Every structure is written in C-alpha cells, then in structure tokens.
Amino acid sequence: AQKVTQAQTEISVVEKEDVTLDCVYETRDTTYYLFWYKQPPSGELVFLIRRNSFDEQNEISGRYSWNFQKSTSSFNFTITASQVVDSAVYFCALITGLTGTASKLTFGTGTRLQVTL
Amino acid sequence: DGGITQSPKYLFRKEGQNVTLSCEQNLNHDAMYWYRQDPGQGLRLIYYSQIVNDFQKGDIAEGYSVSREKKESFPLTVTSAQKNPTAFYLCASSITEPGANVLTFGAGSRLTVL
C-alpha cells in the first residue's frame, strides 16, 4: 500500500517570509515518482515537479526548491520570499513503479497556504 | 492554447436527479480521468479511460458513470445512486506511454445537491 501524508492542513505567512510544506510518503517499492501540484483559487491543479526515487538531488526553480530525502521518506517543498500569488492549496502525490500510469497516483490531503501582505 | 475545458463550473441538483459534467480536451491525450475533491480528503479517482470506447473504475466509482466515444471528450454522469454527490469534480488528461504520469487538469466543476 502507498500513502502520502501532508500533516500541515493550513499555513499562514506574511509576504516575503520563507515557508516549507512537508510531505511524508510510504511505499514498499524501491522505484517510485513523487510530485507536487499547486491548486490556486481558480481550481485547476498545476504540475510543479516530478522526482523519481533514484534522483535525490535537491532542485531549485526560482523561488521554489524541493528537498528529497529517502532516509526520512520526505519530499518537502520550500517557497523562498513568499508572495501573495503563492496562496493556494499544494498537493504532494506518489506513484509506485517507474512505468506506472497516472491512474495509480496517490494524493496527499493538501496544505492550504495563505500569504498575506 | 491547448487545455481541458470543464462545464458547467457550478451546478445545482435536486436529490434524485442525474447530472452530467462535461470534459473536453484538445491536447491530443489518450488518457482521461475524473477525480472527486472533498475538503480535507485530497483527490480520489472516480473513473479513467486510456483509449476511446474503454474505461476503468477508480477507487470510488459507485454512483457514477462515464463514456468515451471520442478521444477529446470524457463526460461524467453523477447518478441518483451517488449518496453524497456534493463535491468539486476535476477532469484530467495525460499521455499513455509507460511512466507518463504527469496530469493536466481542468478548472473543475462544483456540484451542490439541494
């Protein structure tokens, strides 16, 4: 069985603060993909990143960075210098096997981020 | 621009009525999916289709039906058998090559049962 836990239900920060969204996953498979999606108030989920289990390098994309640690089964997401436009619900997701299709995705329950001025 | 169009954005239904949610994509994706989103529960898969005229049940298919007569279209019918249909419904699509698992989502349809 696979499971994704996002323990933070809601986070509020003031603009320009850094914020980290936690994601802990469970799987017995040694091969898997991890994802982050952003759901702004408009509703559609937007793909942010996909990382496979063989690549533990951290990734940075502008103000976004991701810390993948297999030792703690975590794939945390940090937003540096947060902005109001970052306000959204963020979902972490997992799929086991490197050939698995999206029908096998397991989503976490999401973390709502509120960034205020 | 390519994307997924869901309609209507908001829908109200009386108990006992069937309703159909539309999902159209122009991404030329073979696979399409329907998810249900409830507060605090993340996304749950209702149905998916990897090819025209074929579809599979997801984790919570009871009370729902789908069809896939055209590659571009994957409508979802919420039947009166669905006990708690009030939710936000999201349609998504993807290519079907092995390991191709990045989803493109529509903007969703919010169904409220009165």
Side-chain angles (χ1 to χ4, degrees):
Chain A
Q2 55 193 56
K3 185 179 179 181
V4 176
T5 300
Q6 296 180 255
Q8 304 152 308
T9 304
E10 191 160 344
I11 301 175
S12 291
V13 299
V14 177
E15 202 175 39
K16 298 183 183 176
E17 285 185 6
D18 299 346
V19 59
T20 295
L21 309 181
D22 297 332
C23 173
V24 174
Y25 62 93
E26 296 176 30
T27 178
R28 294 185 180 182
D29 280 81
T30 57
T31 57
Y32 50 87
Y33 282 106
L34 292 161
F35 303 77
W36 277 95
Y37 283 86
K38 173 183 180 180
Q39 185 179 37
S42 55
E44 81 280 12
L45 274 75
V46 177
F47 167 74
L48 295 178
I49 189 171
R50 181 180 75 169
R51 177 54 52 87
N52 74 54
S53 53
F54 298 111
D55 184 2
E56 281 193 80
Q57 276 196 335
N58 291 331
E59 181 153 341
I60 298 174
S61 176
R63 297 183 297 106
Y64 294 173
S65 61
W66 290 270
N67 183 3
F68 177 27
Q69 291 198 337
K70 291 175 74 170
S71 61
T72 56
S73 297
S74 64
F75 187 43
N76 296 339
F77 173 30
T78 297
I79 302 175
T80 303
S82 60
Q83 299 177 2
V84 172
V85 293
D86 296 326
S87 297
V89 180
Y90 291 87
F91 290 95
C92 182
L94 165 73
I95 185 169
T96 56
L98 295 183
T99 59
T101 61
S103 62
K104 303 301 181 186
L105 269 171
T106 296
F107 285 88
T109 52
T111 297
R112 181 178 298 277
L113 174 64
Q114 184 73 38
V115 182
T116 57
L117 294 171
Chain B
D1 284 341
I4 297 179
T5 301
Q6 290 188 240
S7 62
K9 191 162 181 65
Y10 299 96
L11 185 60
F12 298 89
R13 184 193 99 173
K14 293 182 180 179
E15 282 193 28
Q17 289 182 336
N18 292 355
V19 294
T20 298
L21 308 181
S22 171
C23 177
E24 303 278 333
Q25 55 101 356
N26 60 4
L27 299 165
N28 201 33
H29 285 171
D30 285 310
M32 297 186 74
Y33 311 80
W34 274 105
Y35 288 91
R36 171 178 171 143
Q37 184 179 8
D38 295 281
Q41 292 197 43
L43 275 70
R44 294 182 289 170
L45 183 65
I46 304 172
Y47 268 99
Y48 65 99
S49 167
Q50 294 187 301
I51 196 169
V52 174
N53 292 323
D54 186 51
F55 47 82
Q56 308 296 327
K57 292 182 179 180
D59 301 318
I60 56 166
E62 185 175 350
Y64 300 98
S65 66
V66 293
S67 63
R68 187 86 186 277
E69 297 177 0
K70 298 187 302 181
K71 185 176 184 177
E72 303 80 16
S73 178
F74 191 41
L76 173 74
T77 296
V78 184
T79 75
S80 57
Q82 169 50 234
K83 300 302 181 190
N84 184 21
T86 294
F88 189 56
Y89 292 89
L90 284 156
C91 180
S93 70
S94 73
I95 59 177
T96 52
E97 293 162 11
N101 44 32
V102 174
L103 292 169
T104 301
F105 284 87
S109 293
R110 187 168 298 280
L111 172 63
T112 302
V113 174
L114 304 174

